[in-house]
Amino acid sequence: MTQKKELAEKTVITEVGRVKEVGEKNAYILFLSGPLVGKLLELKAGETILGRSPDAAISVNDSRVSRQHISLTVSKAGTTLTDLGSTNGTFVNGGRVQTHLLQDGDKVQISSSTIFKFAYQDNLENIFHKELYKMAVIDAVTGVFNKRYFSDRLKEEFAHSKRARVPLALIMMDLDHFKKVNDTHGHLAGDFALAHIAKTVQKMVRASDVFARYGGEEFIILLRNTDEKGASQLAERIRLAVEQSPATFESHTIPVTVSLGVASLGEENYGSPEVFIEAADQYLYQSKQGGRNRVISGHYKSASS
């Protein structure tokens, strides 16, 4: 018994190798949209030129990108982005820059199509999988869900609503005179206006709602357990909030308004998610034909003040 006790109380010392230190984080850019979407590139020490030219270290086949658009310089001080006199400019997190010390997570836009994210990362696999997931469900320009994610969720919620007999509503929304914004202020200003609207609306929807960019200047909101009246009231609040919050892009004030159409599964027995969307789209069309900047549903109409 004494021998067993002595064995139990022995301290065993095992030599353990030195724990590997976390390596230095490397600089990467991941393209969120454009011709190089999904491409993850490590930036080496020194200067890297990015542009449309085939001779650029990172060549982007995008007509709105200048031949030598930006340089990315990696040094001990960090990674510095410099615009090389590009035609359409360079924007970091929505603001135009000439020279900018990039921070982890910065989003860089060099055209209406090409957007990339800058990151410091010591584990390439982590950033790749994390950002690929975001790319699969998030719209790069506005930061809200994309059409693919929305469509998947709509199928699930539509089936649940039918089975449980609970209301479900859709709000379809379109930025009024979007072409005029692009033609007057440029495509990047148009993207900024879309992102501005997205931020305004994002604050007004619930966590359980699905707010997505449906395509071009069109957005859509899926509202669980919401009837036509509740959806129409929210749509009217959104219309007023957007109208009262003009976008400011590089000292230019851009008035923005939206037209909205509302459909409710509780009011009508739509046979499929596709028919449900067609109904909301039809009400949106009526809103635009009726003068824009208004809300129309089966039993509700509003007009701009």
Side-chain angles (χ1 to χ4, degrees), residues 269-282:
N269 188 26
Y270 299 113
S272 69
E274 292 74 21
V275 175
F276 193 21
I277 289 178
E278 285 176 10
D281 191 44
Q282 183 59 39

Side-chain angles (χ1 to χ4, degrees), residues 150 170-173 210-212 214 218-222 277:
F150 173 84
L170 286 178
I171 298 176
M172 216 154 194
M173 177 174 64
V210 182
F211 175 39
Y214 200 67
E218 201 166 58
F219 295 89
I220 195 164
I221 309 171
L222 177 64
I277 289 178

Side-chain angles (χ1 to χ4, degrees), residues 2-287:
T2 304
Q3 186 179 12
K4 288 182 179 181
K5 184 177 180 182
E6 288 176 355
L7 286 171
E9 291 177 350
K10 275 187 178 180
T11 301
V12 179
I13 301 176
T14 304
E15 184 178 354
V16 179
R18 184 171 63 90
V19 177
K20 184 179 178 181
E21 294 180 3
V22 177
E24 291 184 6
K25 292 188 176 183
N26 299 318
Y28 294 94
I29 59 173
L30 176 66
F31 284 86
L32 304 178
S33 65
L36 297 181
V37 62
K39 197 167 186 64
L40 179 68
L41 301 172
E42 181 181 355
L43 299 175
K44 302 298 184 181
E47 184 183 51
T48 300
I49 302 296
L50 186 154
R52 193 179 76 255
S53 171
D55 298 330
I58 302 176
S59 181
V60 184
N61 186 20
D62 181 342
S63 61
R64 292 194 176 96
V65 172
S66 295
R67 290 182 63 80
Q68 292 193 334
H69 199 105
I70 59 172
S71 70
L72 298 161
T73 304
V74 178
S75 67
K76 291 183 178 180
T79 301
T80 302
L81 178 152
T82 304
D83 184 275
L84 300 177
S86 66
T87 302
N88 294 317
T90 300
F91 297 79
V92 177
N93 302 326
R96 184 189 287 264
V97 299
Q98 179 57 45
T99 300
H100 180 81
L101 183 63
L102 290 169
Q103 304 298 315
D104 189 36
D106 277 351
K107 189 167 72 171
V108 180
Q109 183 166 9
I110 56 176
S111 80
S112 58
S113 300
T114 300
I115 302 172
F116 65 84
K117 184 175 182 179
F118 175 80
Y120 281 116
Q121 187 62 247
D122 56 5
N123 188 326
L124 184 62
E125 187 176 0
N126 282 350
I127 181 176
F128 190 66
H129 288 296
K130 181 180 178 182
E131 295 303 329
L132 276 186
Y133 172 75
K134 286 184 180 178
M135 287 167 59
V137 301
I138 300 295
D139 175 65
V141 171
T142 61
V144 300
F145 289 117
N146 59 23
K147 182 177 180 179
R148 175 183 172 184
Y149 178 84
F150 173 84
S151 297
D152 289 343
R153 284 294 305 275
L154 175 60
K155 291 176 184 176
E156 296 171 3
E157 296 298 337
F158 187 88
H160 171 75
S161 180
K162 286 275 192 177
R163 186 172 58 252
R165 296 184 180 181
V166 294
L168 186 70
L170 286 178
I171 298 176
M172 216 154 194
M173 177 174 64
D174 193 280
L175 173 57
D176 295 329
H177 305 295
F178 184 59
K179 185 178 184 300
K180 183 178 179 181
V181 174
N182 282 336
D183 292 345
T184 304
H185 302 283
H187 288 276
L188 291 179
D191 286 350
F192 182 85
L194 292 173
H196 171 76
I197 289 174
K199 288 179 182 177
T200 300
V201 177
Q202 190 81 67
K203 299 173 185 176
M204 304 177 70
V205 298
R206 305 166 302 183
S208 59
D209 300 332
V210 182
F211 175 39
R213 185 182 181 187
Y214 200 67
E217 65 271 32
E218 201 166 58
F219 295 89
I220 195 164
I221 309 171
L222 177 64
L223 303 163
R224 300 182 71 186
N225 297 314
T226 304
D227 59 16
E228 183 181 314
K229 181 180 179 181
S232 298
Q233 289 174 342
L234 173 61
E236 179 63 14
R237 291 199 301 273
I238 289 172
R239 185 192 71 79
L240 285 170
V242 171
E243 182 183 39
Q244 295 168 4
S245 304
T248 302
F249 180 76
E250 296 197 304
S251 76
H252 296 291
T253 299
I254 305 174
V256 288
T257 60
V258 290
S259 300
L260 306 99
V262 179
S264 172
L265 191 58
E267 299 294 329
E268 300 288 346
N269 188 26
Y270 299 113
S272 69
E274 292 74 21
V275 175
F276 193 21
I277 289 178
E278 285 176 10
D281 191 44
Q282 183 59 39
Y283 288 128
L284 170 60
Y285 177 77
Q286 292 177 25
S287 177

